[in-house]
Amino acid sequence: PSFSLLLRGIRREHLAGLALGQLLSLLIGGTGVFSQLLSSNYNVNMPTFQSFLNYFVLCLVYSSFEIKRGKWWSTLKSKFYIYAPLALIDVEANYLVVKAYQYTTITSVMLLDCFTIPCVVVLSVFFLRTKYAWRHFIAVFICLSGLVILVLSDYDQNSSIGANPLLGDILCLAGSLLYATSNVAQERVLKDVHKDEYLSMLGVFGTLIGGLQLILFER
């Protein structure tokens, strides 16, 4: 009976969110595997190009929605100073994490990418005024302790596990910090605007920034 009550208390949208989260985790894991294979087996390192198509598709799909509503050009002119920095942070976060595969292992990258979680907790306290219980901060401390041990372990390892494991770890941690900044800023922005507007502008400026970076550094 208690289990059936629990199931009734779980809303359909919560289950949908859980399912989408698991699908997203699977796709991220697949991205990591193929990024590692491209780097180690074929010496292909194109971190900007790997995320460029994502921004381009976002631009095409969600800009069409905003153009249909007649809001695209006015939003672009009036809010470029908000969306351009957010897109820059997002583009560079993707760049740094994918770049890390060139220097360290997929295991280290996947684990260190979780540094995003404690960063989000800290940033959301200051910028979103989110309140957490003490047990949340204990969990953050445990998470950070594990990450420190992992980085120290990679530092002690030789180059057999990667070209430069410590550099790869630093790149991944920096990318995770930018991911956290992007996520917190996204939550703040979405309190005031529709998700279609946000994704449209992220796609536009992400495509412009990624395209420029692609031309300059990955020709």
Side-chain angles (χ1 to χ4, degrees), residues 46-65:
M46 298 185 299
T48 304
F49 179 74
Q50 285 184 238
S51 59
F52 173 78
L53 293 178
N54 296 334
Y55 296 110
F56 184 67
V57 172
L58 283 177
C59 178
L60 287 180
V61 174
Y62 286 96
S63 289
S64 64
F65 295 159

Side-chain angles (χ1 to χ4, degrees), residues 2 67 150 162 188:
S2 59
I67 290 172
L150 179 60
R188 177 63 187 86

Side-chain angles (χ1 to χ4, degrees), residues 50-176:
Q50 285 184 238
S51 59
F52 173 78
L53 293 178
N54 296 334
Y55 296 110
F56 184 67
V57 172
L58 283 177
C59 178
L60 287 180
V61 174
Y62 286 96
S63 289
S64 64
F65 295 159
E66 290 299 290
I67 290 172
K68 187 175 180 180
R69 295 189 183 103
K71 297 180 178 179
W72 186 84
W73 182 242
S74 61
T75 301
L76 186 67
K77 289 190 300 181
S78 62
K79 298 182 180 180
F80 70 91
Y81 62 92
I82 296 175
Y83 290 116
L86 292 181
L88 177 63
I89 292 171
D90 203 72
V91 168
E92 299 312 322
N94 284 312
Y95 174 84
L96 290 173
V97 171
V98 176
K99 186 71 173 178
Y101 289 104
Q102 184 178 344
Y103 300 102
T104 190
T105 63
I106 184 173
T107 304
S108 293
V109 173
M110 288 288 112
L111 291 173
L112 290 173
D113 195 32
C114 295
F115 182 57
T116 299
I117 297 173
C119 289
V120 164
V121 170
V122 173
L123 291 173
S124 60
V125 167
F126 286 102
F127 296 103
L128 299 179
R129 304 300 180 187
T130 304
K131 295 183 179 180
Y132 295 98
W134 59 268
R135 60 181 176 273
H136 294 119
F137 293 103
I138 292 177
V140 167
F141 176 76
I142 294 172
C143 176
L144 291 176
S145 300
L147 295 179
V148 170
I149 293 172
L150 179 60
V151 172
L152 292 176
S153 175
D154 280 353
Y155 177 73
D156 289 335
Q157 295 293 328
N158 57 36
S159 60
S160 62
I161 66 168
N164 190 333
L166 183 59
L167 175 59
D169 290 352
I170 292 172
L171 289 173
C172 189
L173 290 172
S176 298

